[in-house]
Amino acid sequence: MTTNMIANSIKETQEILWQQMRNSRLSFRSLSCGNNSLLLAYLPYLIDMVTLQQVLLPFLDRLPDEKITPDVLLGSLPVARVRKTIDYRQVSDFLVRGWIYLQIEGVDSGLLLFVANIPSRSLGEAQVEVQIFGPQVAFTEALETNLGILQSYLPTDMLSNVSITIGRRSKTNVEVCYMEELADPENVQTVVQRVRELDVDGLIDSGKLVQLIDDNTFSIFPQLIMTERPDYVSEALLEGKVIVFVEGSPFAIMGPSTFVDFFKSNEDLYIRWQMASFIRLLRFLALFVSLFFTAIYVAALTFHYEMIPSALLVSLVKSRSKVPFPPLFEALLLEMIIEFLREAGARLPFKVGQTMGIVGGIVIGQAAVAAGFTSNILIMIVALSALASFTFPSYMMSTAVRILRFPIILLAGIWGGFGIMLGASFLLIHILRQSSLGRPFFLPFFPFRLRDFKNSLIRVPFYNLGKRPALTRSPDNARLPDEAGKKRPIQ
């Protein structure tokens, strides 16, 4: 018998748990119920004390005088979940998750009772992915709550999950969720295998996990989407994607994902298809503006004066007449100021951050023009580029575009238009080489999938979206019956 096996003496069990837990808040309660001596062990700040005092203890007091065994109690205890255990290590793992350990004197096994009341915030609106139409509830840090929310959105027995514990010290619970008949088994196996193979000291948030399981950790582009919206996750599951929840994180991980997915919002499904298509095209235009607008200004003023219309050239010359710096240094200076303001506004309290961003931008902009550090035209261009980056639904993709602006501006300042084309070519080649859970990252452009264009750059009416995306390779490809995709007569 190994030292981890539970002893039949509750006194010895108490000593072993006390040494094993090393927690001064570990509480023990000894009970005498007829001819039975019982031991309860729990962490008081993780359990529901009302259930313990008003339900569990009165039940144990009413136990019969004859000798009882854990098997007798297993099906009669007034708690939702009960597990039998013979291992002290399992007892320790469950105690820190809000379970109560119950052992009977003279028995070398015990029962684990789920009476958890782990502190967590209540349901609220999404703070990062704000939308006007559609459901407003967001996930929380409680894993059980998030699974309950998801099941309420998809009340079906097709919703399956795989439970995994990772982290040598954190022992973090991770749930991999998918629709059994819709998800490709290869995608599910890829996610489960990558999560199970992780050997880390601890895991606190899904933001860390997504970096550990994506395909290319050296790429600046995110390859898996993180979202706090249950409706977005539900739609992804119906498309055949795989979802990962991490205990303690309000963000779920979705995959496989494409480059285009990072520019789509779930709110696009709740408005008319013409409006959704216009907004999506606007986001891709914003991508171009955010990446290249400032770089084009630098290249034009440094190498390509002949490309500027004469009327605009006069305004540019007047605006830059007092600026002592070359366009490259001027652009980089303003871009850095914008990044300082954006980061400071994000880190300050909400109301203070808003005020600082607005007032700071106005004051610094006017002072920079008055002091001759920059021109009015460049301030407008940089502000427009920064504003365009805020249109992206994904914060991770927005941050990647913000960073990529700087090397493209440098290339424009060194080689002009050729430098911009060189930077754009490298970006395109890099994106073409990426994958998400082994699937092509640049679908539907490469490989070319005409069918998936219906819900990429634009969104066509729902009756024309009868097939699931080719990316997920769903075993059940039909989202609508064949006859539903036929053109409906106009009334």
Side-chain angles (χ1 to χ4, degrees):
M1 180 180 296
T2 65
T3 56
N4 292 314
M5 304 299 289
I6 293 176
N8 58 11
S9 170
I10 60 176
K11 183 178 180 180
E12 185 177 348
T13 293
Q14 183 173 342
E15 293 176 355
I16 293 175
L17 288 179
W18 186 265
Q19 295 174 0
Q20 193 168 338
M21 296 289 294
R22 303 186 189 91
N23 193 318
S24 59
R25 295 300 306 274
L26 183 62
S27 297
F28 297 96
R29 178 170 295 194
S30 299
L31 303 175
S32 295
C33 305
N35 295 323
N36 301 285
S37 295
L38 309 179
L39 174 69
L40 294 178
Y42 54 89
L43 292 171
Y45 50 86
L46 293 181
I47 70 166
D48 187 355
M49 295 300 293
V50 175
T51 302
L52 174 64
Q53 297 288 348
Q54 299 183 7
V55 178
L56 187 57
L57 292 180
F59 172 83
L60 296 175
D61 286 337
R62 295 193 299 268
L63 289 176
D65 293 338
E66 59 267 16
K67 193 68 174 178
I68 58 174
T69 63
D71 294 330
V72 173
L73 293 177
L74 196 58
S76 59
L77 283 165
V79 293
R81 294 156 65 182
V82 183
R83 297 184 59 164
K84 187 177 180 180
T85 181
I86 57 172
D87 192 342
Y88 281 124
R89 289 177 302 183
Q90 188 178 36
V91 173
S92 301
D93 291 341
F94 277 74
L95 285 177
V96 296
R97 301 185 187 281
W99 292 62
I100 293 178
Y101 175 65
L102 168 64
Q103 183 175 345
I104 304 171
E105 178 66 38
V107 180
D108 57 358
S109 63
L111 297 176
L112 292 164
L113 320 177
F114 183 73
V115 197
N117 184 25
I118 299 175
S120 63
R121 62 185 173 100
S122 58
L123 297 180
E125 296 184 3
Q127 300 297 317
V128 178
E129 300 170 88
V130 180
Q131 63 184 26
I132 300 173
F133 296 103
Q136 301 298 324
V137 69
F139 289 125
T140 70
E141 288 76 10
L143 180 60
E144 298 286 343
T145 302
N146 293 340
L147 294 175
I149 295 173
L150 185 60
Q151 190 72 72
S152 68
Y153 273 80
L154 296 172
T156 171
D157 57 0
M158 291 173 55
L159 185 59
S160 303
N161 63 292
V162 179
S163 300
I164 306 172
T165 302
I166 60 177
R168 293 191 301 270
R169 290 179 172 82
S170 67
K171 298 289 196 301
T172 305
N173 287 332
V174 174
E175 294 285 341
V176 179
C177 301
Y178 59 96
M179 297 291 279
E180 190 170 351
E181 297 178 7
L182 303 182
D184 183 7
E186 185 177 343
N187 290 339
V188 177
Q189 180 61 30
T190 299
V191 176
V192 172
Q193 181 177 354
R194 290 184 183 182
V195 174
R196 280 182 173 162
E197 289 179 350
L198 291 178
D199 185 13
V200 293
D201 194 55
L203 183 70
I204 305 301
D205 187 78
S206 56
K208 183 177 180 180
L209 178 62
V210 76
Q211 299 176 65
L212 293 170
I213 65 173
D214 61 10
D215 292 42
N216 184 6
T217 187
F218 294 102
S219 174
I220 193 173
F221 292 107
Q223 296 126 50
L224 298 171
I225 293 178
M226 294 176 59
T227 179
E228 60 177 341
R229 306 204 63 92
D231 56 323
Y232 196 5
V233 169
S234 302
E235 290 288 347
L237 285 169
L238 293 175
E239 288 184 350
K241 294 186 177 183
V242 183
I243 309 299
V244 181
F245 288 101
V246 177
E247 185 178 23
S249 175
F251 288 90
I253 302 171
M254 302 191 312
S257 303
T258 66
F259 181 77
V260 175
D261 287 341
F262 288 89
F263 298 90
K264 296 193 294 187
S265 170
N266 211 50
E267 190 178 17
D268 299 343
L269 302 175
Y270 308 139
I271 58 179
R272 305 288 296 178
W273 67 271
Q274 299 93 335
M275 303 176 191
S277 298
F278 172 76
I279 293 173
R280 284 189 185 177
L281 291 173
L282 196 65
R283 293 189 191 120
F284 284 99
L285 176 62
L287 172 64
F288 176 83
V289 170
S290 183
L291 271 177
F292 301 112
F293 213 31
T294 307
I296 292 173
Y297 169 87
V298 172
L301 287 185
T302 306
F303 296 97
H304 311 292
Y305 271 107
E306 69 280 359
M307 298 179 60
I308 305 174
S310 56
L312 179 59
L313 185 60
V314 173
S315 299
L316 283 172
V317 171
K318 286 183 180 180
S319 178
R320 284 189 45 82
S321 59
K322 297 181 181 179
V323 179
F325 307 116
L328 175 60
F329 182 83
E330 180 190 8
L332 290 176
L333 177 64
L334 265 189
E335 287 285 356
M336 288 302 300
I337 291 174
I338 289 292
E339 292 303 319
F340 289 152
L341 288 172
R342 191 196 314 234
E343 194 63 20
R347 298 292 170 254
L348 288 171
F350 180 71
K351 294 183 179 180
V352 180
Q354 277 189 327
T355 305
M356 195 282 302
I358 297 172
V359 176
I362 295 173
V363 171
I364 293 176
Q366 289 183 340
V369 173
F373 275 92
T374 185
S375 62
N376 287 316
I377 294 178
L378 182 58
I379 286 182
M380 183 187 70
I381 291 174
V382 171
L384 186 60
S385 299
L387 186 64
S389 66
F390 286 117
T391 63
F392 307 152
S394 170
Y395 175 79
M396 300 299 293
M397 183 60 72
S398 174
T399 304
V401 172
R402 285 165 50 190
I403 297 173
L404 289 171
R405 266 209 306 267
F406 288 94
I408 293 178
I409 292 173
L410 283 172
L411 290 172
I414 297 172
W415 289 309
F418 174 75
I420 295 177
M421 294 304 298
L422 184 65
S425 299
F426 271 112
L427 279 179
L428 182 59
I429 293 171
H430 176 74
I431 293 174
L432 289 173
R433 289 170 56 88
Q434 301 311 303
S435 61
S436 177
L437 300 182
R439 306 303 185 197
F441 186 60
F442 208 47
L443 275 171
F445 304 100
F446 180 81
F448 186 77
R449 294 288 186 272
L450 181 61
R451 186 186 75 197
D452 288 353
F453 272 91
K454 296 179 181 180
N455 192 23
S456 56
L457 296 178
I458 61 173
R459 180 180 77 77
V460 300
F462 287 123
Y463 279 95
N464 297 113
L465 295 175
K467 303 295 182 181
R468 304 187 202 281
L471 173 74
T472 59
R473 298 185 182 180
S474 174
D476 184 2
N477 195 32
R479 182 154 36 191
L480 293 173
D482 292 336
E483 59 270 14
K486 297 179 181 178
K487 186 176 179 180
R488 304 169 65 198
I490 299 177
Q491 300 295 329

